Structures are given as structure tokens and as C-alpha cells.
């Protein structure tokens, strides 16, 4: 399957908000979508992503640097 297309489609449908603090991004989704979106983010191999932790409606994206967090936030926002 095409991970990039699935990521783009799901983030457009489920995105609520995103914010970052140092090495961490917190992405909010519509209820029930965070786990799938977190898996797609990990599968997409974004440079700078160390890993994700996803619940029902929130994803914690752990980045390798504060600069990476800012860049990944911009990349994800460009998909919305």
C-alpha cells in the first residue's frame, strides 16, 4: 500500500491540531484516529522522528531534535 497517500488522506480527515515543545510534538485527532495515524507517521520514515506514542485522539511524536520537531510539524501541516 502507498503509505504517503494513506497518511495524507487520514491527516486531512482526522486532524484537529498540532503543537510542539522542544523535542516533542503533540498531534490531536478526531476520536479513534490517533493510533492509525501514529502508525502511518512511523511507517513514513520522517527524518528526525524517534518514535510515536498514540492513544485514542492524541499522538506524542518524539523527535531527535527541537529543529526536527519544528520541521516535522511544518511537513505534517502541509498535508492538512
Amino acid at each position: 500500500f502507498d503509505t504517503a497517500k494513506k497518511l495524507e488522506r487520514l491527516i486531512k480527515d482526522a486532524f484537529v491540531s498540532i503543537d510542539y515543545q522542544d523535542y516533542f510534538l503533540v498531534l490531536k485527532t478526531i476520536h479513534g484516529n490517533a493510533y492509525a495515524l501514529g502508525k502511518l507517521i512511523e511507517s513514513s520514515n520522517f527524518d528526525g522522528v524517534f518514535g510515536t506514542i498514540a492513544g485514542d485522539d492524541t499522538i506524542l511524536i518524539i523527535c531527535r531534535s527541537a529543529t526536527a520537531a519544528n520541521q516535522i510539524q511544518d511537513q505534517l501541516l502541509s498535508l492538512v
Side-chain angles (χ1 to χ4, degrees):
F1 69 90
D2 187 344
T3 303
K5 285 184 181 179
K6 286 190 177 214
L7 175 64
E8 186 174 352
R9 185 173 50 240
L10 184 56
I11 201 165
K12 282 182 182 188
D13 290 342
F15 179 83
V16 173
S17 67
I18 191 168
D19 201 0
Y20 77 97
Q21 172 73 32
D22 294 327
Y23 292 71
F24 305 106
L25 287 163
V26 175
L27 193 151
K28 299 281 190 173
T29 69
I30 294 171
H31 292 287
N33 289 280
Y35 180 79
L37 189 54
K39 288 306 231 182
L40 285 170
I41 290 168
E42 284 188 355
S43 297
S44 296
N45 296 318
F46 281 97
D47 287 339
V49 171
F50 181 74
T52 64
I53 300 171
D56 183 57
D57 64 352
T58 304
I59 306 165
L60 174 63
I61 304 168
I62 304 162
C63 301
R64 296 190 181 275
S65 69
T67 302
N70 191 19
Q71 292 170 344
I72 293 164
Q73 178 180 16
D74 291 343
Q75 288 176 313
L76 292 170
L77 283 171
S78 75
L79 299 174
V80 174

